Amino acid sequence: MRKNIIVTGGAGYIGSHTVVELAAQGYTPIIIDNFCNSEKAVIKRIEAITGEKTQVFEGNCTDKQFMTDVFAHTNPVGVIHFAAYKAVGESVNKPLDYYYNNVVSLLVLLEVMKETHCNQLVFSSSCTVYGTPEKLPVTEQSPTQKAISPYGNTKQIAEDIIKDQVVAHSGLSAVALRYFNPIGAHPSSLIGELPLGIPSNLVPFVTQTAAGWRKELTIFGNNYNTPDGTNIRDYIHVVDLAKAHVKTLEYLNGKNNFYDYINVGTGKGTSVLEVVNTFEKVSGQKLNYKIGARRAGDVEQIYASVDKSKDVLNWKTALTVEDALRDAWNWQKTLPKP
């Protein structure tokens, strides 16, 4: 008997890859999405990869009646919750939008899960909860810092809400996955990152510059206290990240009144310049880039300790930054120039 799993934001970047991995592991993924940050064409692409029809419900997770109807119709055993606004800069300019969308959607989801006895939740959290870390690598015991953006704050608030609800709601079990920097695309080149407008993340900006969509790439600062002076991040292939969500569902199976949070990364830091040089190597493209001023709020370096994910999820990354950049470039080449 295949288990129904609701994936909110399932047409988005990480969501779509997770839907593919759920189907590959014998689950029946059910997408809820309002398509404010994704394209409806993604659904056909997911179906081309999985060879299966995908159930999709279009609507807002803040709409309780809509959510109740979807749960009644599909009877899910678990939820992977991606649906959220996610642009750090935009959250500073539109804090109320971010608090309403990201927090209220979670409140509604938890209410509906309780009412329908759906007891497994995997929550999409972020390494932003650690702020600027005092020690590296970042472990799950590293202190969380005051968020530097409303977006980051919504992730911290959401983790607290889930933890409190696990205490109060008999049966609910949840894990918050704190992930680092997802990059890459599905090796089929059928799905990948589709930023609306000018990308705020490094790799789409790199691929769009190489494809001639952008005039040049700006590297924000080269005078950090790192080996080459540029920021260091933990870049994880989106397919590895998607598989971690499926492993987390398995980990939750049979648990009651249980809450945990787990870092999901590679355990290795890669600098911005290393990303640029590796991309040039795998793509054969010379990148037009310049060094600009540091960007306010950018953390100098952060990468994960991955011991816990290996121990409790029996999961670790299998793909490299090189793999991710090759897949991202192959995906970019399929996209029509805007």
Side-chain angles (χ1 to χ4, degrees):
M1 178 76 178
R2 291 181 65 159
K3 294 176 176 177
N4 288 354
I5 305 295
I6 280 180
V7 185
T8 71
Y13 176 41
I14 306 170
S16 60
H17 288 81
T18 302
V19 166
V20 167
E21 296 306 326
L22 283 166
Q25 293 304 314
Y27 293 91
T28 300
I30 295 150
I31 292 173
I32 294 176
D33 209 302
N34 67 0
F35 298 98
C36 74
N37 267 324
S38 53
E39 304 281 347
K40 291 186 179 178
V42 169
I43 305 304
K44 291 280 180 234
R45 290 165 171 267
I46 291 170
E47 291 172 345
I49 297 169
T50 63
E52 299 173 3
K53 188 88 179 132
T54 305
Q55 265 190 290
V56 183
F57 294 88
E58 184 176 353
N60 286 324
C61 294
T62 53
D63 180 343
K64 187 170 180 191
Q65 189 57 58
F66 163 73
M67 294 292 282
T68 301
D69 292 346
V70 172
F71 274 67
H73 187 73
T74 59
N75 196 27
V77 299
V79 178
I80 302 178
H81 184 45
F82 293 109
Y85 293 158
K86 61 178 186 175
V88 172
E90 184 183 62
S91 76
V92 175
N93 297 322
K94 298 180 177 178
L96 297 185
D97 289 0
Y98 272 69
Y99 285 113
Y100 183 81
N101 187 67
N102 294 8
V103 177
V104 174
S105 63
L106 176 65
L107 295 174
V108 168
L109 175 65
L110 289 170
E111 283 180 348
V112 175
M113 287 181 71
K114 182 180 179 184
E115 289 164 8
T116 57
H117 309 290
C118 175
N119 289 331
Q120 293 178 355
L121 174 65
V122 182
F123 176 68
S124 162
S125 192
S126 164
C127 67
T128 58
V129 301
Y130 297 115
T132 301
E134 290 159 14
K135 282 200 307 192
L136 291 168
V138 172
T139 75
E140 287 78 4
Q141 280 67 52
S142 298
T144 55
Q145 311 274 1
K146 181 171 169 51
I148 57 173
S149 71
Y151 163 75
N153 203 24
T154 66
K155 291 298 183 187
Q156 292 186 350
I157 291 167
E159 284 197 18
D160 286 343
I161 290 168
I162 294 166
K163 186 168 55 182
D164 291 343
Q165 182 64 351
V166 164
V167 172
H169 169 194
S170 174
L172 178 67
S173 291
V175 169
L177 293 182
R178 293 174 172 174
Y179 31 88
F180 285 68
N181 291 67
I183 59 170
H186 196 268
S188 66
S189 300
L190 284 168
I191 55 174
E193 195 166 3
L194 265 179
L196 301 177
I198 297 171
S200 54
N201 294 336
L202 174 63
V203 171
F205 215 114
V206 164
T207 60
Q208 289 187 12
T209 303
W213 292 22
R214 308 280 161 208
K215 187 164 155 267
E216 64 183 358
L217 168 74
T218 300
I219 294 174
F220 297 107
N222 67 345
N223 57 351
Y224 286 97
N225 186 26
T226 61
D228 63 22
T230 63
N231 298 96
I232 288 175
R233 296 289 180 269
D234 189 336
Y235 295 100
I236 177 172
H237 197 302
V238 67
V239 171
D240 275 335
L241 178 56
K243 288 176 177 174
H245 288 80
V246 183
K247 281 286 194 184
T248 305
L249 271 181
E250 293 167 8
Y251 174 57
L252 284 173
N253 200 29
K255 289 183 168 59
N256 287 303
N257 285 88
F258 176 82
Y259 174 73
D260 206 353
Y261 45 89
I262 301 171
N263 288 340
V264 183
T266 66
K268 180 179 179 293
T270 304
S271 76
V272 173
L273 266 180
E274 283 177 314
V275 168
V276 166
N277 293 335
T278 304
F279 176 80
E280 289 184 338
K281 189 174 90 177
V282 300
S283 68
Q285 303 292 310
K286 195 82 184 116
L287 268 181
N288 184 26
Y289 68 88
K290 68 174 184 183
I291 305 298
R294 290 187 184 194
R295 203 164 44 176
D298 268 356
V299 173
E300 181 170 276
Q301 53 182 318
I302 186 168
Y303 51 93
S305 162
V306 294
D307 293 346
K308 187 173 180 179
S309 60
K310 283 180 186 169
D311 292 345
V312 305
L313 297 183
N314 191 27
W315 168 92
K316 63 179 180 181
T317 55
L319 300 163
T320 64
V321 168
E322 204 166 274
D323 295 326
L325 292 170
R326 185 182 299 110
D327 290 339
W329 177 233
N330 288 337
W331 159 248
Q332 175 71 51
K333 289 187 288 187
T334 71
L335 301 176
K337 192 168 180 178

